[in-house]
């Protein structure tokens, strides 16, 4: 029900009720009427303004009177709307420009933050590497006079042998023959007897992982590629890494003895001299370095090859080194004088992949990229036998200490055993499909054979029975060696660790 003034018949803005008649009036109109007549306009009874009762109602919204009643008024209205729209669009563009500037600034800050995070991550990685090597390197200062670890540098006057071949003199050949005669007699004296100190096959089966050392080489370029053990001091282990360094490590004190720096590419072959504190290393930088471990200095820098050195073996005399290369040559050098004695090209047009001397030192074996294993006569510098049967490049060869057996491996997931007396393959150890073999090693007695690759395996020779498998490495194993009398086994891997196995 709407309120209507009894005088104007319109909706009142300020309604009030007369207590005399109960009618509703517009206060403005009824007050004027009372001033003139002093009574209620409906029933004529006396009435004063003070007696009026206000009625509380919501405010009235009156409709706007029509303004666009003509074409000019309509045009003006539309112009006003257009102006308002343009002003709003201008404001929106200003807000958009401000938002773009804020976004650009935020993106710049994000990019700067990412660069800072990357730098901090690099520093954290360097700090972790330093922390990992902190414990082993603490012993270097006690071994050497300098407070810092021995970092190898080329000594002044490093000898480099001339490219010309000095030739195999009668004196050298006689020296090789005399050494071979002595070694052959010693082996005959030993006969088939096994050293009493040799660890039995039952104990080999019980070998456990005794230690794992990840801090020998840089973490930024992970991977240990080569391994050897000092025969005169079984506590010293030599490793070559992807970080271009070779490291001498003492397993008993768990300390680094020396870090040998000088190669410009990764170190792929290492040899510890059996009677001296001397190390020999080879690298794809086409060089061979002879190091003096106490001073960590390069004594000799041999450049026998034009391409990466792929094989390295020390002659039993301890005075000469054999090397092979992908330049299709093998070289025989004197590590005392630095002279290249002879360099011979393989008859086949394929690079050589590995090399090792026979225990007597008069013959040696090489592997080729075309799956061939070749036996050479050192004195005659001629190829005397070839063993075919593998597929893929030869990755490792190893002569048994008894001088009768040769173990070879290639990229075909098997290890072949050859009888050097009958010149034939008498046993093939077939491994799992896809198994990669990177290194082979007989122990010093010729009783056990170890394989490094997808894992570490130990076999009993003659029966060729598998004794133990070690799966501790998290990446491809690259090297394996037996300690004296097989008291322990050492292995290296692309996971940057040196692991030691034995009996607790």
């Amino acid at each position: 029900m709407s309120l209507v003034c009894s005088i104007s018949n319109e909706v009142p803005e300020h309604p009030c009720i007369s207590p005399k008649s109960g009618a509703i009036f517009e206060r403005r109109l009824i007050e004027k009427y009372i001033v003139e007549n002093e009574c209620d306009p409906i029933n004529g009874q006396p009435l004063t303004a003070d007696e009026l009762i206000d009625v509380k109602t919501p405010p009235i919204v009156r409709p706007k009177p029509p303004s666009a009643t003509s074409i000019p008024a309509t045009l003006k209205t539309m112009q006003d709307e257009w102006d308002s729209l343009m002003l709003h669009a201008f404001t929106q563009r200003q807000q958009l420009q401000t938002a773009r500037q804020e976004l650009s600034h935020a993106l710049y800050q994000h990019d700067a933050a990412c660069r800072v995070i990357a730098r901090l991550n690099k520093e954290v990685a360097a700090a972790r590497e330093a922390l990992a090597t902190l414990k082993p390197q603490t012993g270097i200062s006690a071994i050497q006079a300098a407070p810092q670890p021995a970092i190898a540098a080329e000594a002044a006057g490093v000898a480099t042998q001339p490219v010309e071949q000095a030739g195999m003199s009668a004196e050298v050949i006689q020296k090789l023959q005399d050494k071979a005669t002595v070694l052959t007699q010693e082996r005959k004296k030993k006969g088939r007897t096994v050293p009493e100190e040799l660890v039995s096959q039952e104990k080999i089966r019980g070998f456990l992982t005794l230690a794992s050392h990840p801090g020998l080489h840089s973490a930024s370029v992970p991977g240990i590629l080569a391994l050897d053990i000092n025969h005169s001091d079984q506590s010293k282990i030599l490793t070559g890494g992807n970080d271009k360094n070779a490291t001498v490590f003492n397993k008993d004190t768990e300390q680094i003895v020396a870090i040998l720096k000088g190669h410009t590419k990764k170190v792929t072959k290492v040899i510890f001299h059996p009677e001296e504190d001397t190390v020999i290393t080879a690298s794809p930088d086409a060089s061979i370095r002879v190091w003096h471990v106490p001073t960590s200095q390069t004594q000799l820098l041999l450049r026998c090859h034009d391409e990466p050195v792929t094989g390295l073996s020390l002659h039993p005399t301890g005075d000469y080194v054999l090397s092979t290369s992908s330049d299709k040559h093998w070289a025989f050098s004197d590590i005392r004088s630095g002279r290249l004695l002879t360099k011979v090209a393989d008859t086949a047009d394929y690079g050589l992949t590995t090399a090792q001397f026979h225990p007597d030192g008069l013959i040696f074996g090489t592997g080729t990229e075309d799956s061939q294993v070749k036996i050479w006569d050192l004195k005659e510098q001629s190829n005397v036998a070839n063993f075919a049967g593998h597929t893929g490049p030869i990755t490792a060869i190893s002569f048994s200490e008894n001088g009768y057996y040769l173990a070879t491996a290639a990229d075909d997931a098997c290890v072949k055993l050859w009888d050097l007396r009958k010149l034939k393959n008498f046993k093939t150890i077939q491994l799992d499909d896809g198994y990669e073999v990177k290194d082979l090693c007989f122990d010093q007695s010729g009783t056990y054979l170890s394989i490094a690759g997808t894992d570490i395996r130990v076999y009993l020779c003659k029966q060729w029975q598998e004794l133990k498998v070690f799966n501790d490495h998290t990446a491809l194993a690259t090297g394996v060696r037996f300690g004296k009398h097989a008291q322990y086994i050492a292995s290296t891997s692309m996971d940057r660790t040196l692991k030691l196995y034995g009996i607790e």
Side-chain angles (χ1 to χ4, degrees):
M1 177 178 178
S2 62
L3 301 179
V4 178
C5 177
S6 299
I7 297 175
S8 64
N9 288 325
E10 292 181 354
V11 178
E13 291 184 3
H14 302 285
C16 60
I17 298 176
S18 171
K20 303 296 184 179
S21 62
I24 294 177
F25 301 95
E26 172 67 57
R27 176 174 280 278
R28 175 175 50 81
L29 295 179
I30 189 61
E31 285 181 347
K32 288 183 180 180
Y33 186 87
I34 292 173
V35 170
E36 294 177 358
N37 301 293
E38 298 181 352
C39 65
D40 188 309
I42 301 300
N43 55 20
Q45 293 183 11
L47 181 65
T48 62
D50 295 335
E51 293 178 312
L52 296 175
I53 302 172
D54 288 329
V55 178
K56 294 182 178 181
T57 60
I60 299 172
V61 180
R62 296 183 180 275
K64 292 182 179 180
S67 58
T69 55
S70 63
I71 291 177
T74 303
L75 291 175
K76 184 179 184 306
T77 302
M78 294 178 67
Q79 183 65 49
D80 292 341
E81 290 292 335
W82 172 260
D83 293 344
S84 176
L85 180 61
M86 289 300 100
L87 289 173
H88 180 70
F90 176 73
T91 304
Q92 291 293 96
R93 284 197 299 271
Q94 285 185 320
Q95 293 177 349
L96 176 61
Q97 183 64 24
T98 302
R100 282 178 174 172
Q101 291 177 348
E102 292 176 351
L103 178 60
S104 176
H105 183 65
L107 290 175
Y108 175 78
Q109 289 181 323
H110 177 266
D111 184 60
C114 288
R115 288 196 299 269
V116 171
I117 291 172
R119 178 173 56 80
L120 292 176
N121 284 337
K122 186 176 180 180
E123 291 177 358
V124 168
R128 285 177 176 170
E129 177 185 342
L131 183 62
T133 57
L134 182 60
K135 178 182 177 182
Q137 290 185 359
T138 53
I140 296 179
S141 57
I143 298 173
Q144 302 179 354
Q148 296 296 327
I151 304 299
E154 290 188 25
V158 170
T160 58
Q161 85 292 347
V163 178
E164 296 80 8
Q165 301 179 30
M168 298 281 285
S169 65
E171 180 183 354
V172 172
I173 293 177
Q174 186 61 44
K175 186 176 181 180
L176 300 179
Q177 184 62 57
D178 292 344
K179 185 65 175 178
T181 302
V182 171
L183 292 173
T184 302
Q185 291 175 351
E186 288 180 356
R187 191 164 59 245
K188 287 182 178 179
K189 288 180 181 178
K190 292 179 183 177
R192 302 189 177 210
T193 59
V194 176
E196 295 180 0
E197 301 89 346
L198 183 69
V199 173
S200 66
Q201 53 181 296
E202 289 76 16
K203 291 183 178 179
I204 292 282
R205 288 192 178 96
F207 270 20
L208 301 173
T209 303
L210 302 180
S212 179
H213 303 286
L216 305 186
H217 291 270
S218 172
S220 58
V221 189
I224 301 178
L225 306 176
L227 169 68
D228 199 17
I229 296 175
N230 189 334
H231 291 292
S232 58
D233 184 354
Q234 292 286 304
S235 64
K236 290 182 179 179
I237 299 175
L238 172 65
T239 60
N242 232 346
D243 59 356
K244 309 175 188 177
N245 300 336
T247 300
V248 181
F249 178 73
N250 189 312
K251 73 176 183 67
D252 293 340
T253 61
E254 296 188 350
Q255 295 174 348
I256 291 177
V257 177
I259 301 174
L260 310 176
K261 289 189 175 183
H263 283 292
T264 57
K265 293 185 179 180
K266 58 189 177 182
V267 179
T268 53
K269 301 293 178 182
V270 296
I271 296 175
F272 222 132
H273 198 286
E275 299 169 357
E276 304 170 12
D277 220 353
T278 299
V279 161
I280 307 169
T281 61
S283 166
D285 63 9
S287 72
I288 300 169
R289 289 176 180 262
V290 181
W291 306 83
H292 185 238
V293 174
T295 60
S296 298
Q297 296 292 320
T298 301
Q299 290 180 316
L300 287 174
L301 177 59
L302 308 176
R303 295 195 181 277
C304 314
H305 299 282
D306 302 323
E307 294 184 21
V309 180
T310 57
L312 198 64
S313 183
L314 184 66
H315 191 270
T317 58
D319 298 329
Y320 308 102
V321 67
L322 169 71
S323 59
T324 56
S325 168
S326 50
D327 65 5
K328 307 165 191 173
H329 289 75
W330 61 264
F332 186 65
S333 305
D334 188 332
I335 65 171
R336 306 300 181 187
S337 63
R339 292 182 304 162
L340 171 62
L341 299 181
T342 185
K343 184 176 179 180
V344 178
D346 194 339
T347 53
D349 193 25
Y350 293 94
L352 302 179
T353 59
T354 186
Q356 191 182 35
F357 272 115
H358 183 273
D360 291 344
L362 291 181
I363 63 173
F364 62 89
T366 62
T368 68
E369 295 176 351
D370 67 334
S371 314
Q372 294 287 318
V373 177
K374 298 189 175 185
I375 306 299
W376 299 78
D377 185 308
L378 180 58
K379 294 190 296 182
E380 301 296 331
Q381 304 169 45
S382 61
N383 179 205
V384 295
N386 293 329
F387 297 141
H390 281 292
T391 57
I394 303 299
T395 57
I397 64 174
S398 181
F399 286 98
S400 172
E401 191 61 30
N402 62 17
Y404 299 148
Y405 302 141
L406 171 65
T408 62
D411 291 340
D412 53 6
C414 71
V415 174
K416 291 184 178 292
L417 284 306
W418 308 85
D419 190 321
L420 298 176
R421 296 164 295 184
K422 300 178 182 179
L423 298 180
K424 69 175 184 179
N425 172 225
F426 67 91
K427 176 68 178 179
T428 297
I429 301 175
Q430 190 62 49
L431 304 169
D432 303 331
D433 290 341
Y435 192 102
E436 296 184 58
V437 181
K438 291 299 180 183
D439 197 17
L440 298 170
C441 180
F442 286 96
D443 77 301
Q444 290 85 347
S445 68
T447 306
Y448 304 116
L449 170 67
S450 184
I451 300 172
T454 304
D455 51 32
I456 303 294
R457 301 189 180 194
V458 181
Y459 287 84
L460 177 64
C461 297
K462 295 185 180 179
Q463 289 83 9
W464 308 110
Q465 174 188 359
E466 183 182 288
L467 298 180
K468 186 70 177 180
V469 178
F470 301 100
N471 293 302
D472 293 17
H473 285 297
T474 58
L476 195 65
T478 55
V480 63
R481 290 292 183 273
F482 285 96
K484 188 175 182 180
H485 301 309
Q487 296 290 335
Y488 74 93
I489 298 173
S491 68
T492 54
S493 167
M494 292 303 294
D495 65 8
R496 203 170 62 90
T497 63
L498 163 69
K499 294 187 183 294
L500 302 174
Y501 313 95
I503 301 174
E504 289 184 328

